[in-house]
Amino acid sequence: MEQILVGELFHEETEAGIHRVSARVGAELLWFESSNAQLRLSPEGFASALLIPAMSHGRNLVFEDPLCPEWLANTGRIMDYFSRWMGWKPIRIESRFSGARPEPSPGVRRALCFSGGVDSFFSLLTYPKPIDTLVLIHGYDIWLNDEEGARVVFETVQRVAAEKGLHAALIRTNYRDHPIAGRKYRFSYAGALAAIGHLLDGVGELVVSSGLPRREASFNGSNCETDPLWSSKVMKVDHYGGDFTKNQKIRAIAASRLAQQNLRICQQNFYGSFELSEKFLNCGCCQKCIRTMLVLQQEGHLEDFAVFANKTDLPMHLDRVMKVPPVFIPAFDEIRRGGVDRQAERAIRALKRRSKLLNRMEWAGRRGVKGVFRVIRLLDALERKFFWIKRMFLLSSRH
């Protein structure tokens, strides 16, 4: 099996006060840097970031630096998981270091990966132990070349941290731009998040928020089974929030003034454009916004959230959503059971119906799915017209 050689890690500090930790991975440099947080030389950080990409390449990892025995022991279970789900063969992880391994000191601070979404706000507000640092990574969900988007989001993170008396750290990395590390990010991002905990100096625990409840979690890069396995002797990873649904999390943060002023969940902000203004972090029209706002409406707090550009005509905007992945359908069902008006109930039922159909039509390609969606929209429009005619008839017959 071919090898990926990870050169000796090195640390540098620029005149501008930027701390950077780097290693040559294959033919190109992989780096992490920060101007407001100290970074440490942690081979486990780079190894966590590279394990799943290396598996997907089918190449062994060879390090010039020593690796933590506890971290190494955990990797067998991580690789078993990905072998079972993805069919990738386990790889070997070796170290060429022959001297005595220096014993790093355990960290004492606790950091939370914080993007300003529902999951991370829920963790911030309900995690049972004190959080010291909120961490935003520029180069993962926010593309490295999107400087403006990173600025807008980090300003939000800084506001939240200041309100809670915490430190805010921004980490930049070329991880997703790297030809080896950037592969299969959907499956490797849990290791990439764990890397940040290993690389942040003084951090002994990293809190990673669950994206889906434990009972609904499909195969994903981050889950309650594998996330804790990215831990080492001096840095533990805690996967938090898996006992709650997304809607339960929204209800838990609905009354929080911090969330009302800073929540950022809009899917329009995940594709490098950040077209929305700093005033409105969320469009209020995409399925993710509508799903969140319907729950906030049920809780009586929608009007308190100043971060949505639109808070009206939610059923109409839901009718414009082509489909949602199967994993989100239970969330809409839960909303409908919680009580919505007739228009919203009809829109949710229609969305669920067409999603089940269109999710099975990947064979038709994007253009074919869009064509079928146009036909479905026409039929749904006729159904809505019939709904209003029927309602008017019933009202008139009562008088």
Side-chain angles (χ1 to χ4, degrees), residues 255-298:
S256 166
R257 184 179 61 84
L258 263 183
Q260 291 166 3
Q261 295 177 351
N262 298 286
L263 185 69
R264 184 185 72 91
I265 51 94
C266 184
Q267 64 187 28
Q268 301 299 324
N269 279 341
F270 287 98
Y271 300 101
S273 61
F274 281 84
E275 295 173 353
L276 302 177
S277 70
E278 295 179 43
K279 181 180 178 182
F280 296 115
L281 296 175
N282 308 283
C283 72
C285 300
C286 66
Q287 69 87 9
K288 199 171 182 182
C289 282
I290 297 167
R291 177 161 43 92
T292 303
M293 289 191 293
L294 285 171
V295 179
L296 294 175
Q297 193 174 61
Q298 288 176 330

Side-chain angles (χ1 to χ4, degrees), residues 392-399:
M392 290 174 65
F393 175 77
L394 289 173
L395 287 173
S396 62
S397 64
R398 288 173 185 171
H399 295 293

Side-chain angles (χ1 to χ4, degrees), residues 34-294:
S34 178
S35 61
N36 52 20
Q38 292 278 351
L39 301 182
R40 59 190 170 193
L41 294 172
S42 170
E44 295 76 33
F46 282 76
S48 296
L50 291 167
L51 175 58
I52 302 308
M55 281 189 74
S56 72
H57 282 279
R59 299 168 67 183
N60 294 329
L61 279 172
V62 180
F63 285 80
E64 297 285 359
D65 292 282
L67 290 164
C68 170
E70 182 176 321
W71 184 91
L72 278 170
N74 288 337
T75 60
R77 293 169 61 190
I78 295 173
M79 287 191 283
D80 285 345
Y81 181 86
F82 281 88
S83 294
R84 189 167 66 248
W85 283 97
M86 298 298 296
W88 297 334
K89 293 181 179 179
I91 62 171
R92 289 199 314 274
I93 307 168
E94 304 171 3
S95 171
R96 290 180 177 176
F97 187 82
S98 57
R101 185 183 189 274
E103 283 296 326
S105 301
V108 296
R109 293 188 290 119
R110 184 174 294 108
L112 167 66
C113 295
F114 189 83
S115 63
V118 168
D119 299 319
S120 52
F121 255 114
F122 177 81
S123 296
L124 174 65
L125 298 174
T126 67
Y127 193 72
K129 292 179 282 189
I131 300 291
D132 303 292
T133 304
L134 302 184
V135 186
L136 177 71
I137 303 99
H138 179 194
Y140 286 178
D141 287 338
I142 304 171
W143 290 102
L144 188 58
N145 62 3
D146 188 6
E147 297 288 346
E148 179 63 13
R151 182 191 66 79
V152 170
V153 179
F154 189 55
E155 284 181 357
T156 301
V157 175
Q158 287 176 305
R159 284 197 301 270
V160 173
E163 287 275 350
K164 300 290 287 184
L166 310 178
H167 176 62
L170 176 66
I171 311 296
R172 296 179 74 252
T173 176
N174 68 334
Y175 179 78
R176 292 194 71 177
D177 290 341
H178 193 278
I180 293 175
R183 183 170 179 174
K184 302 292 184 182
Y185 181 71
R186 176 187 170 193
F187 307 111
S188 66
Y189 73 90
L193 290 175
I196 302 302
H198 288 293
L199 293 168
L200 275 170
D201 193 31
V203 168
E205 184 176 3
L206 181 74
V207 181
V208 176
S209 305
S210 66
L212 292 168
R214 194 185 306 266
R215 64 178 181 270
E216 293 179 14
S218 57
F219 175 67
N220 209 322
S222 173
N223 60 76
C224 59
E225 289 185 49
T226 58
D227 281 5
L229 298 176
W230 295 107
S231 302
S232 70
K233 186 177 180 180
V234 299
M235 202 288 295
K236 307 301 180 186
V237 178
D238 187 11
H239 179 96
Y240 178 71
D243 295 326
F244 303 88
T245 68
K246 186 77 75 174
N247 292 345
Q248 286 173 328
K249 290 181 179 182
I250 296 169
R251 297 183 200 285
I253 69 172
S256 166
R257 184 179 61 84
L258 263 183
Q260 291 166 3
Q261 295 177 351
N262 298 286
L263 185 69
R264 184 185 72 91
I265 51 94
C266 184
Q267 64 187 28
Q268 301 299 324
N269 279 341
F270 287 98
Y271 300 101
S273 61
F274 281 84
E275 295 173 353
L276 302 177
S277 70
E278 295 179 43
K279 181 180 178 182
F280 296 115
L281 296 175
N282 308 283
C283 72
C285 300
C286 66
Q287 69 87 9
K288 199 171 182 182
C289 282
I290 297 167
R291 177 161 43 92
T292 303
M293 289 191 293
L294 285 171

